[in-house]
Amino acid sequence: MKFKKFHTFAVALIILLMTMSSVAATCNIIIITDPTGSDPNGAAAGSMSFAENMFQSTFLMSKNNHFAVLSGGTGSSDTRLESIVDAVASLENNASAASAAASASQYKGARLLVGGPSMGAAIGGSFDAYVITVDEYSNDIKVTPYSSGVATLQPGQKGAIIHLRNTEGNPMYGTANSVRKETAMNIGKMIRDGYPATTILSEALGEVAKDAGEKYGGGGVNLVSGISTTDMFTPRDMNESGYPMDEEYSKVCDDCGWAIGYPAAESYDKCPVCGADLRIVYAYEALGNALTVSPNAVSVSVYGSDKPGLASTTSEIVIASVGKYGYDASAIAGSINRGIDNGILMGVDHVEPKDINVKQGSKAVGVYYNALPGDRSSPPWNLPIDGNILNILGSIQTAVGIILILLVVFRSRLLKSFQSR
């Protein structure tokens, strides 16, 4: 995304979020495990909150320039997004992460967490955060609390920044201070032990969700590879909560690769393909799987329908198909159509290979659905004979049925008439 488009998008978000109730990402994290940018999983960022409206707008990512701007705070939504626009304008002029984050202090209650693999990270505005550093040579972990001004993870330094507060109304209110410190220590240990940033981010979000209750997505971004969770966890409608990051997200068969997302997964205890037990994948684990680049990683995008569970289930089917047959559009279409025929995917018509956009070089697959009209859940059967013939047969059967009914109703009269003749 070019800076000009990035700036225009941020401005458009101000108009969007002014129509929604106030929302703030109370958990913001940036992790950098490889400051050189050579590790495809070496930098990641993510946001969550107990609040409603956790849309992708809580974090913006520049794929071309490998940085993220995460927002939050106690101010209004328009105030927070105005601070984002200022931060983006600063970054357009090659400002440092610290300088861009510092712009949040000009807006009451706003918070910005800015960073990327080459620029380091910084947080400014209204925050309660820890800066984690891991020495490259001694592996010593340093965890330092900050609550005002600007806190910085210097360029070239392995480490992270985590901000965490509790939202009013969260049943676990009051846990943020202890969970923030404990999670910061665990992030440091995982950086020291060589885990990729994407895995550390998923584990940290899972820990915060379970222990502090700030659990609704939100989501995450891989800052090196330019991968985002997009709408995997964000709410479908305004003024609703996102997907709980500590709850079950899908079930997977480790033997054959078959998988299905919730809520459809509730109906399955065994794999319908090979009969093996299914493993439960939690949302925070699914986030890590989606962001982590590996030989088996597949980025799946779904278009044409917003039916609940369709995107997640399609993603699982495509990933399993690619693992078994490779990036073959015909094989992927066949796997999806079997899911439709088996009732796993509902509300969409069968797909053809031309509906599958495969980009093997970037490990991406796009699926283009046609939603079924009305409330139909499944497409018509593909029968071996023409439907008109069935209509004719149905009409004949109806006519025969009517004659039989008349014979039963008027049998005594018909018998007397016959006998009299």
Side-chain angles (χ1 to χ4, degrees):
M1 184 185 294
K2 293 182 179 179
F3 273 130
K4 184 176 181 181
K5 293 181 179 178
F6 187 51
H7 186 274
T8 302
F9 180 58
V11 173
L13 285 172
I14 294 178
I15 299 173
L16 171 64
L17 290 200
M18 286 178 69
T19 65
M20 302 191 302
S21 63
S22 181
V23 55
T26 47
C27 177
N28 298 126
I29 304 174
I30 287 182
I31 300 168
I32 300 173
T33 55
D34 178 17
T36 69
S38 58
D39 180 355
N41 303 307
S47 292
M48 296 188 305
S49 180
F50 184 79
E52 298 173 336
N53 293 323
M54 284 299 296
F55 288 89
Q56 180 85 358
S57 55
T58 55
F59 51 88
L60 299 178
M61 174 177 63
S62 171
K63 292 185 178 181
N64 288 346
N65 296 282
H66 307 287
F67 68 79
V69 179
L70 289 71
S71 68
T74 59
S76 62
S77 57
D78 56 328
T79 294
R80 288 194 302 276
L81 287 210
E82 286 174 7
S83 69
I84 290 177
V85 172
D86 275 0
V88 172
S90 297
L91 293 168
E92 286 179 347
N93 294 314
N94 298 318
S96 65
S99 178
S103 63
S105 300
Q106 302 172 26
Y107 298 91
K108 183 178 180 181
R111 175 180 66 258
L112 290 175
L113 177 54
V114 178
S118 62
M119 69 171 61
I123 186 169
S126 174
F127 65 87
D128 292 297
Y130 278 93
V131 175
I132 305 107
T133 59
V134 179
D135 188 271
E136 184 177 358
Y137 303 102
S138 67
N139 280 330
D140 288 341
I141 302 169
K142 185 177 181 181
V143 177
T144 308
Y146 293 90
S147 60
S148 61
V150 176
T152 305
L153 176 67
Q154 295 296 332
Q157 173 71 62
K158 289 198 297 184
I161 296 179
I162 175 173
H163 162 85
L164 177 62
R165 285 176 178 164
N166 282 130
T167 305
E168 292 289 344
N170 181 348
M172 302 181 74
Y173 193 90
T175 58
N177 289 343
S178 59
V179 175
R180 183 170 60 248
K181 183 177 181 179
E182 185 66 25
T183 305
M185 289 297 302
N186 290 334
I187 289 173
K189 292 175 183 177
M190 294 187 75
I191 294 174
R192 177 199 63 193
D193 294 342
Y195 288 91
T198 50
T199 298
I200 299 172
L201 176 67
S202 69
E203 292 297 317
L205 291 178
E207 183 174 349
V208 169
K210 288 181 282 189
D211 296 343
E214 301 297 320
K215 61 183 180 178
Y216 297 119
V221 292
N222 179 326
L223 294 173
V224 180
S225 301
I227 301 172
S228 170
T229 56
T230 62
D231 60 355
M232 283 179 66
F233 311 107
T234 56
R236 294 180 61 244
D237 300 309
M238 290 185 182
N239 302 324
E240 289 187 358
S241 300
Y243 201 97
M245 301 299 290
D246 60 342
E247 290 191 7
E248 299 165 343
Y249 191 78
S250 63
K251 289 183 179 179
V252 177
C253 176
D254 292 324
D255 288 355
C256 71
W258 183 88
I260 184 171
Y262 280 83
E266 294 174 353
S267 302
Y268 295 85
D269 293 321
K270 298 285 186 178
C271 175
V273 176
C274 68
D277 291 333
L278 297 176
R279 174 173 55 86
I280 294 174
V281 178
Y282 286 83
Y284 70 91
E285 295 174 320
L287 178 142
N289 295 337
L291 296 182
T292 302
V293 175
S294 69
N296 299 321
V298 185
S299 175
V300 182
S301 301
V302 175
Y303 307 93
S305 175
D306 59 355
K307 293 285 185 181
L310 179 68
S312 59
T313 303
T314 300
S315 178
E316 299 289 357
I317 290 175
V318 171
I319 291 170
S321 180
V322 170
K324 189 172 184 179
Y325 305 110
Y327 287 88
D328 185 311
S330 297
I332 294 172
S335 298
I336 290 173
N337 289 336
R338 284 192 293 275
I340 293 173
D341 293 338
N342 293 332
I344 297 171
L345 295 169
M346 303 179 70
V348 291
D349 206 347
H350 291 109
V351 297
E352 299 178 13
K354 65 181 179 64
D355 300 319
I356 311 298
N357 184 17
V358 175
K359 295 182 179 180
Q360 184 170 353
S362 56
K363 295 184 173 61
V365 175
V367 180
Y368 295 81
Y369 284 116
N370 286 318
L372 294 174
D375 295 327
R376 285 176 54 184
S377 60
S378 61
W381 289 348
N382 184 18
L383 298 172
I385 58 176
D386 189 273
N388 291 327
I389 296 176
L390 290 178
N391 289 334
I392 294 171
L393 291 174
S395 299
I396 293 173
Q397 183 177 357
T398 301
V400 172
I402 292 173
I403 293 171
L404 291 174
I405 292 172
L406 291 173
L407 288 173
V408 172
V409 172
F410 299 106
R411 65 185 182 281
S412 59
R413 184 179 299 179
L414 289 171
L415 286 172
K416 289 180 181 179
S417 176
F418 177 79
Q419 290 171 354
S420 65
R421 292 184 180 182

